[in-house]
Amino acid sequence: MHISKSEWLGVAVCFGALASMPNTVVKNSPVAMTTVKADTSYVENKSYGVDVSSFQSTDMSNYAQNGAKYAFVKTTEGTWYTNPKASGQVSSALANNMMTMSYHFAVFGNDAQKASAEANYAVNASRNVGVPAGSYVVCDWEAGDGNNINGPVEANTDAILSFMDTVNANGYKPMLYSGAYLMRNKIDTDRVVAKYPNSLWVASYATMGRIDEPDFEYFPSMNGVAIWQFTHNWRGLHVDGNINVLPLSKGGVSQAPSSVPATPSVDINQVIASASQSVAQKEQPAITSTTTDTNQDVPFTAVGRVNYVPGYGIMLWGQPGYKNALNRYLPHGSRWKIFKKRYINGSVYYNLGGSQWVDGKYIIIE
C-alpha cells in the first residue's frame, strides 16, 4: 500500500508466508462498467474496495464502475506529510457511493508516544478532508521511510495499540494494516484483536501481476481479519485491490465473533468455504533439502530479473528477512547478478553483493 512521502511507490510489502508458492493464473474476467450503488455507511461481505494515495487520481469513478464499494484514502504520514489529493479523493469516493475511510503511514516504529502523536495528526487530517466520523482510520505499519519494524514484538504492539487507542478516543474506528509476514512475526495480533476484534487488514499476494478476483486458496489465514488486500494491480487499474471477508459499517465491522478460527481460515458467511484446507497446506509449505531453513548463506550464482509492477521498484535490504532497509529500490525489469541465497521461514532471499539483499519472490532467475 505504501507510497513514500515523496510519493514514489517502491517499498516491497512483507508477504513472506506466500513466497514459496507458484504464481497462479490471473483471472481477467470482463467487468461491467456500471457504478455500484453502495450504501456509504455499510458494505456487505465479499465486496471489493481500493486504497489510494497521491499516486492515483482524485477521480474515483473508474474504481466504482469496476465494482469497488469502498475506498481507503491515504491522508498522512508521520507528523509532517498530508496527501494533497486526499480531499478530492474523499469527495469523489463519497460522490460515487463508496464507503470512505482513511489510512496513515506509520513511522513511529515501537515508540508509543510518537504513535499517539501520529494518530492525532491522522485523525485531524481525516476530519479536515471530510472522512465521516465513525469511519475507519487505519494504521499502516510496514517497512519504509524510516519505520523501524525490528523492535521487540511487545514494544511494536504497544505502539500500534497506542495509535489505535488514540483513534478510538477521537471518534473514529481503528484498524491495523500490514503484510502477513509482519503480522505473524513482528506484531502480537492476538493482543490487537483482543482489544479491537476483527480489526486486521492483511496484505498477501499470490502473484505480483494483475489479479481481478481473489483466489481464496491463498488467503492468509489468521484470527481477526476483516479485509484482505490481494493484489497491487486490481483489474489492470494499477491500484491495490481488497476484499472484505466481514461486513463493514461506519460504526465498525458488523457483529461477528471477536475471534475468528485460524484453521479453517475466517469461516464468516462461508467466505472461505471448502478452500480453507488447501489454504492451510499452502501456508505451511514442506521444507525440503533444497529449501532448508538453516539461516545460513548458500552458494548460488545466477542472474535474476526483478518481477514487480511496471514503473515501480522493490526495496534493497542490508540483511535478509526484511532487516535494515537501505531505502534504495531496484526497478521492475532490471537484471542483477546473484552471489548467494539464504532461506528464512520458508522464504528465499538473494544476495546481490556485499550487504545487499532482496526478497526472492520478486526475482525471476534467468
Side-chain angles (χ1 to χ4, degrees):
M1 162 193 301
H2 172 46
I3 306 283
S4 70
K5 50 185 175 288
S6 60
E7 296 306 89
W8 164 250
L9 183 88
V11 176
V13 185
C14 307
F15 307 137
L18 300 181
S20 60
M21 286 188 269
N23 286 353
T24 56
V25 176
V26 177
K27 301 178 181 178
N28 294 334
S29 54
V31 179
M33 298 299 287
T34 56
T35 301
V36 177
K37 296 299 182 182
D39 182 346
T40 58
S41 63
Y42 177 83
V43 175
E44 63 186 357
N45 68 305
K46 295 186 287 185
S47 297
Y48 291 116
V50 297
D51 56 88
V52 298
S53 69
S54 67
F55 182 76
Q56 279 82 28
S57 168
T58 56
D59 184 359
M60 306 288 283
S61 60
N62 197 22
Y63 307 134
Q65 289 166 2
N66 275 272
K69 293 186 178 182
Y70 56 95
F72 288 92
V73 176
K74 178 177 180 178
T75 52
T76 48
E77 178 174 336
T79 54
W80 59 79
Y81 173 81
T82 301
N83 172 13
K85 294 183 180 179
S87 180
Q89 290 167 333
V90 168
S91 295
S92 181
L94 291 170
N96 281 279
N97 305 303
M98 302 169 77
M99 183 175 171
T100 306
M101 301 155 281
S102 68
Y103 78 88
H104 166 88
F105 187 82
V107 296
F108 55 74
N110 58 12
D111 188 320
Q113 185 174 355
K114 288 182 179 179
S116 182
E118 290 189 26
N120 279 313
Y121 185 73
V123 165
N124 289 335
S126 295
R127 286 198 188 104
N128 290 339
V129 299
V131 176
S135 302
Y136 280 109
V137 173
V138 179
C139 175
D140 174 2
W141 195 90
E142 56 180 301
D145 284 0
N147 188 47
N148 177 20
I149 62 171
N150 294 312
V153 170
E154 290 308 302
N156 294 341
T157 308
D158 287 344
I160 288 167
L161 284 172
S162 177
F163 183 101
M164 297 176 78
D165 289 345
T166 303
V167 168
N168 188 57
N170 279 277
Y172 285 88
K173 296 297 179 182
M175 179 174 279
L176 170 64
Y177 168 93
S178 195
Y181 175 84
L182 290 185
M183 285 195 175
R184 290 191 174 104
N185 295 278
K186 300 295 184 179
I187 304 167
D188 185 347
T189 55
D190 287 341
R191 285 182 58 199
V192 173
V193 298
K195 191 163 190 179
Y196 297 105
N198 302 312
S199 62
L200 301 184
W201 174 11
V202 62
S204 195
Y205 306 165
T207 174
M208 291 309 298
R210 168 178 171 168
I211 301 178
D212 291 2
E213 302 171 4
D215 183 347
F216 276 98
E217 290 191 357
Y218 293 93
F219 180 80
S221 180
M222 63 180 69
N223 288 346
V225 174
I227 304 173
W228 173 26
Q229 184 185 93
F230 61 89
T231 182
H232 236 342
N233 185 12
W234 182 57
R235 295 185 170 169
L237 300 174
H238 299 289
V239 68
D240 294 338
N242 305 275
I243 189 166
N244 57 304
V245 297
L246 294 174
L248 302 176
S249 65
K250 194 169 70 172
V253 176
S254 293
Q255 293 299 318
S258 61
S259 176
V260 181
T263 304
S265 260
V266 274
D267 191 18
I268 302 299
N269 298 310
Q270 298 182 340
V271 174
I272 308 303
S274 61
S276 59
Q277 171 131 16
S278 59
V279 171
Q281 293 171 348
K282 288 179 180 293
E283 288 195 332
Q284 299 297 331
I287 303 300
T288 68
S289 59
T290 60
T291 60
T292 301
D293 280 4
T294 60
N295 201 25
Q296 295 181 356
D297 295 344
V298 177
F300 183 75
T301 302
V303 173
R305 175 167 50 87
V306 176
N307 182 36
Y308 194 52
V309 178
Y312 308 141
I314 65 171
M315 175 71 81
L316 193 62
W317 301 88
Q319 299 178 56
Y322 291 95
K323 296 180 180 179
N324 186 23
L326 300 180
N327 292 320
R328 292 169 52 201
Y329 306 100
L330 306 184
H332 170 77
S334 60
R335 300 169 70 249
W336 304 89
K337 185 174 181 179
I338 297 170
F339 295 90
K340 55 188 175 183
K341 60 184 176 180
R342 188 184 302 181
Y343 291 97
I344 302 175
N345 296 327
S347 300
V348 64
Y349 299 87
Y350 294 122
N351 177 267
L352 307 185
S355 298
Q356 300 181 106
W357 295 83
V358 292
D359 189 336
K361 66 177 168 290
Y362 303 119
I363 301 295
I364 295 176
I365 301 299
E366 297 185 338

